[in-house]
Amino acid sequence: MRTTSARDAGDAPGTGAGAPAPRLRDFYEDPAVPVASGAARSLRQARMLAGALAGTPGATVLDIGCGDGTAAVTAAPLLPGHRIVGVDWSQDALRRARARFTAVPREIDAVRGELTDGGLPFASGTADAVLFSEVIEHLVDPDGALEEIRRVLVPGGHLMLSTPNLAAWYNRALLLAGVQPVFSEVSLRGIHGRPGKEVVGHLRLYTARALREFLGACGFDVVRVAGAPFHGVPRPLRPLDRLACAAPSAASILLVHARRRDGAAGERGRR
């Protein structure tokens, strides 16, 4: 199940080499594909970002994969004096984002950008922070995406990443019962073998441990991992889902604050 406006800014959808796959391109431009961010996740992530930018005046924040703009609009009141730019590959998502941005009492830019084919339309080291909300699970090449994000960040710049948790508390029970985990998908045409009804194009899923190791290998130092609830959990189970946030490794959504490490981009970058 999709938890945010995770429109990929890269090839089909990701940063893989070669021509984009038409079916995937069409999938992400389909207005029926959900693009709404989970409110609880967006607010928790915005608060983490505001805390990280305390003492940094006039910061530039890129919301990469901004989708319908919910994350940027949620963060805007908590980031006075900072510039926010929504970036997305999907023209449909940008149309929705621009409409949402006009409703807030401050200017938020929205530009089209890709994580491949020349990269994002920003010079190296121009962003103080990047919001990357429920995008990484849609990418063919997450390594290349993080390399591009690292490029546009200043040394020590902040990455606020969120993604569904493969090891969410209910997924552990589902796997024991032989059921496909929530958030995972085996087809772009329908849901098979797991709860839920919406196809949202998830290609990769992470546990907290895997995400920490992956970010470290891509040249980021993880500052904090937190949990957030998932708006798609059935109402009777939502109190338990909120309780699980106290143990991020079992939460529905992983919220990660990482910083760009100075020097080489990690072990992979040195090979």
Side-chain angles (χ1 to χ4, degrees):
M1 296 181 183
R2 196 168 197 162
T3 59
T4 189
S5 54
R7 297 307 186 96
D8 179 24
D11 278 346
T15 55
R23 285 196 59 82
L24 284 169
R25 284 279 185 174
D26 295 342
F27 177 81
Y28 283 108
E29 283 289 5
D30 184 353
V33 174
V35 297
S37 295
R41 193 275 306 151
S42 295
L43 184 57
R44 290 184 185 217
Q45 189 175 44
R47 288 171 174 165
M48 289 175 66
L49 177 57
L53 291 177
T56 305
T60 295
V61 178
L62 305 181
D63 182 5
I64 297 177
C66 66
D68 70 351
T70 297
V73 169
T74 301
L78 303 179
L79 301 173
H82 301 312
R83 180 192 180 205
I84 303 175
V85 182
V87 185
D88 210 292
W89 162 80
S90 167
Q91 295 286 13
D92 175 67
L94 287 173
R95 176 184 58 80
R96 302 192 208 187
R98 290 186 178 113
R100 189 177 294 270
F101 293 165
T102 60
V104 299
R106 60 173 293 184
E107 182 178 355
I108 303 177
D109 297 323
V111 301
R112 189 178 188 276
E114 303 199 19
L115 290 166
T116 185
D117 291 339
L120 296 167
F122 306 101
S124 299
T126 57
D128 299 284
V130 165
L131 279 170
F132 204 45
S133 305
E134 272 86 4
V135 177
I136 197 169
E137 65 271 15
H138 295 264
L139 301 182
V140 173
D141 180 12
D143 305 74
L146 287 176
E147 286 176 3
E148 180 63 3
I149 289 173
R150 191 175 184 280
R151 180 189 68 81
V152 299
L153 279 171
V154 300
H158 304 278
L159 171 62
M160 297 292 172
L161 181 153
S162 62
T163 191
N165 183 8
L166 175 60
W169 59 275
Y170 40 80
N171 279 345
R172 302 182 189 204
L174 290 173
L175 279 169
L176 285 174
V179 177
Q180 187 83 9
V182 175
F183 307 124
S184 66
E185 295 182 333
V186 299
S187 170
L188 288 178
R189 300 181 180 180
I191 297 298
H192 304 287
R194 71 153 172 85
K197 299 178 181 179
E198 293 180 328
V199 178
V200 294
H202 289 177
L203 302 180
R204 301 181 182 277
L205 289 175
Y206 300 81
T207 64
R209 179 175 179 175
L211 195 55
R212 278 182 175 274
E213 292 184 6
F214 178 50
L215 288 170
C218 291
F220 291 88
D221 293 320
V222 174
V223 177
R224 179 188 175 195
V225 178
F230 172 45
H231 65 270
V233 169
R235 189 173 297 276
L237 297 177
R238 289 180 185 176
L240 183 57
D241 193 40
R242 290 192 294 269
L243 185 64
C245 293
S249 63
S252 285
I253 307 296
L254 298 172
L255 303 179
V256 180
H257 173 202
R259 302 192 70 172
R260 177 190 155 172
R261 187 186 307 136
D262 291 344
E267 291 300 322
R268 295 186 186 190
R270 290 195 290 269
R271 290 175 185 171

mmCIF file of all heavy atoms in Angstrom, residues 72 84 125 148 256:
data_model
loop_
_atom_site.group_PDB
_atom_site.id
_atom_site.type_symbol
_atom_site.label_atom_id
_atom_site.label_comp_id
_atom_site.label_asym_id
_atom_site.label_seq_id
_atom_site.Cartn_x
_atom_site.Cartn_y
_atom_site.Cartn_z
ATOM 1 N N ALA A 72 5.428 18.947 1.712
ATOM 2 C CA ALA A 72 5.953 20.311 1.698
ATOM 3 C C ALA A 72 5.006 21.269 2.412
ATOM 4 O O ALA A 72 5.434 22.139 3.174
ATOM 5 C CB ALA A 72 6.184 20.769 0.266
ATOM 6 N N ILE A 84 11.468 26.301 0.270
ATOM 7 C CA ILE A 84 11.059 24.927 -0.002
ATOM 8 C C ILE A 84 10.782 24.789 -1.497
ATOM 9 O O ILE A 84 10.078 25.617 -2.089
ATOM 10 C CB ILE A 84 9.800 24.544 0.801
ATOM 11 C CG1 ILE A 84 10.037 24.735 2.299
ATOM 12 C CG2 ILE A 84 9.388 23.105 0.499
ATOM 13 C CD1 ILE A 84 8.812 24.488 3.145
ATOM 14 N N GLY A 125 25.836 20.838 -4.127
ATOM 15 C CA GLY A 125 25.965 21.532 -2.857
ATOM 16 C C GLY A 125 25.048 22.724 -2.678
ATOM 17 O O GLY A 125 25.417 23.684 -2.004
ATOM 18 N N GLU A 148 22.856 10.988 -6.309
ATOM 19 C CA GLU A 148 22.416 12.280 -6.829
ATOM 20 C C GLU A 148 21.947 13.196 -5.697
ATOM 21 O O GLU A 148 22.218 14.402 -5.699
ATOM 22 C CB GLU A 148 21.306 12.073 -7.865
ATOM 23 C CG GLU A 148 20.758 13.343 -8.483
ATOM 24 C CD GLU A 148 21.780 14.139 -9.280
ATOM 25 O OE1 GLU A 148 22.949 13.689 -9.431
ATOM 26 O OE2 GLU A 148 21.420 15.237 -9.752
ATOM 27 N N VAL A 256 13.862 8.346 8.854
ATOM 28 C CA VAL A 256 15.307 8.374 9.062
ATOM 29 C C VAL A 256 15.831 9.783 8.850
ATOM 30 O O VAL A 256 15.538 10.425 7.837
ATOM 31 C CB VAL A 256 16.034 7.405 8.104
ATOM 32 C CG1 VAL A 256 17.539 7.452 8.347
ATOM 33 C CG2 VAL A 256 15.508 5.995 8.269
#
